[in-house]
Amino acid sequence: MASASFFSTLVLVVLASGASAQLSPTFYDTSCPNALSTIKSAVNAAVAQEARMGASLLRLHFHDCFVQGCDASVLLNETSGEQSTAPNAGSLRGFGVIDSIKAQVEALCPQTFSCADILAVAARDSVVALGGPTWTVPLGRRDSNMSFPNQALSDLPPPTDSLQNLMTTFGNKKLDATDLVALSGAHTIGQARCTSFRAHLGESNINSSFAASLRGICPAAQSASTDGNLAPLDTTTPNTFDNAYFSNLMSQRGLLHSDQELFNNGSTDSIVSNFASNPAAFSSAFTTAMVKMGNLSPLTGTNGQIRLNCWKIN
């Protein structure tokens, strides 16, 4: 009887331990109840000032989660960290907005709300601010004690990737083909640098008039004066989160090589076609994929820390 009682207690302890490691949308309801509205207001203000910031904040969350999980490691500005790697250097933006949000949240509830969770919520609020769908963000992530530059180089897909490489990279994160296409739909907002799409302008699977219009921004010859020039990832509605990106792909107007790979006589063509004709299907798949991506290897419980400043460890 005593043995059975001990076993029952052990099961309860294990279950409780497992439960504490799970993310929950109500995680801060008691400890920091006004944090979500504070983040939303700050994101709305930042996006109202510059629409592109919405895409930049969404991209920060993606570049965080794909490297060692959603742990705010991308925010650490240490020398030779993730921010200095090729996928991030000179292109990641929005750090000042996140720092401002963190300061406001710290004033509400000191050392309670993690930077990783701020990134996850700000990504959602950015999409909503630009007319996209909303979703419930599971919370309770903690912040990493270190940065992971090697993983940033290996795990973040470059704009030159083939469909097979994209599917492998996303598959390694337990994200399937529908998740890949849906998350790529984030390119319905934002801009890319000339260095990211120059090579694609000379490929065969791009609309000729579209390519010609871009060569004025991004000439074939590499040049420091043009390498940083920007073009919208979605020329139709560049500041609205909608499904126009997929219609663009079907008319060979994907800005990046990796974009057009999703509709290039391959296995994801039908998914692109479905999202192009069915906005609700895209919204549903996108929100599902964002939650899946947000659940990548979060630090919970006593792992990691709650940073006082998002750009450095405590």
Side-chain angles (χ1 to χ4, degrees):
M1 193 70 169
S3 174
S5 176
F6 171 78
F7 178 76
S8 298
T9 302
L10 180 62
V11 169
L12 287 173
V13 169
V14 170
L15 288 174
S17 174
S20 68
Q22 300 301 310
L23 303 181
S24 165
T26 61
F27 188 83
Y28 298 105
D29 280 8
T30 301
S31 61
C32 199
N34 295 320
L36 294 182
S37 59
T38 299
I39 296 170
K40 184 178 183 66
S41 295
V43 169
N44 286 345
V47 173
Q49 183 175 353
E50 182 199 9
R52 184 188 175 203
M53 186 54 68
S56 297
L57 294 174
L58 177 57
R59 186 168 183 253
L60 270 180
H61 182 46
F62 172 81
H63 279 232
D64 181 36
C65 290
F66 258 58
V67 179
Q68 204 70 25
C70 309
D71 59 4
S73 59
V74 73
L75 299 179
L76 294 172
N77 67 353
E78 57 196 38
T79 304
S80 300
E82 290 174 37
Q83 292 183 26
S84 67
T85 62
N88 295 330
S91 66
L92 282 186
R93 307 170 72 246
F95 299 110
V97 174
I98 296 299
D99 288 342
S100 174
I101 292 173
K102 177 62 172 175
Q104 293 177 57
V105 172
E106 281 296 308
L108 293 175
C109 43
Q111 208 165 353
T112 300
F113 204 109
S114 70
C115 298
D117 279 342
I118 288 174
L119 283 178
V121 175
R124 187 269 312 277
D125 291 346
S126 293
V127 170
V128 174
L130 291 171
T134 190
W135 62 95
T136 300
V137 179
L139 300 166
R141 302 167 188 81
R142 288 168 65 84
D143 302 324
S144 172
N145 295 317
M146 60 187 297
S147 189
F148 304 93
N150 291 335
Q151 287 91 327
L153 286 170
S154 63
D155 291 8
L156 289 168
T160 54
D161 253 0
S162 67
L163 176 60
Q164 185 55 57
N165 285 345
L166 288 167
M167 292 184 70
T168 298
T169 297
F170 278 70
N172 288 340
K173 306 297 181 184
K174 303 296 187 290
L175 297 167
D176 60 26
T178 300
D179 299 322
L180 160 63
V181 178
L183 289 172
S184 297
H187 286 178
T188 186
I189 53 175
Q191 302 181 58
R193 296 180 299 166
C194 169
T195 51
S196 298
F197 62 84
R198 175 183 279 125
H200 180 48
L201 301 184
E203 295 176 340
S204 60
N205 62 344
I206 186 171
N207 179 278
S208 57
S209 62
F210 178 59
S213 71
L214 290 165
R215 289 196 182 97
I217 301 170
C218 188
Q222 292 186 3
S223 167
S225 64
T226 60
D227 283 355
N229 287 353
L230 299 170
L233 288 155
D234 169 9
T235 58
T236 308
T237 50
N239 294 323
T240 302
F241 196 98
D242 56 21
N243 67 331
Y245 166 82
F246 300 106
S247 298
N248 293 340
L249 297 186
M250 295 181 69
S251 59
Q252 294 190 313
R253 287 178 165 81
L255 183 65
L256 307 180
H257 172 88
S258 54
D259 287 327
Q260 199 57 58
E261 279 288 284
L262 302 178
F263 192 84
N264 194 36
N265 299 312
S267 59
T268 54
D269 282 14
S270 60
I271 304 173
V272 170
S273 299
N274 181 39
F275 290 166
S277 63
N278 190 337
F282 167 50
S283 292
S284 176
F286 180 78
T287 57
T288 296
M290 284 297 293
V291 172
K292 287 174 69 173
M293 185 182 77
N295 284 337
L296 288 175
S297 307
L299 297 173
T300 58
T302 58
N303 294 317
Q305 61 181 220
I306 306 297
R307 288 189 217 136
L308 293 169
N309 295 289
C310 290
W311 50 274
K312 66 176 182 177
I313 60 173
N314 296 339

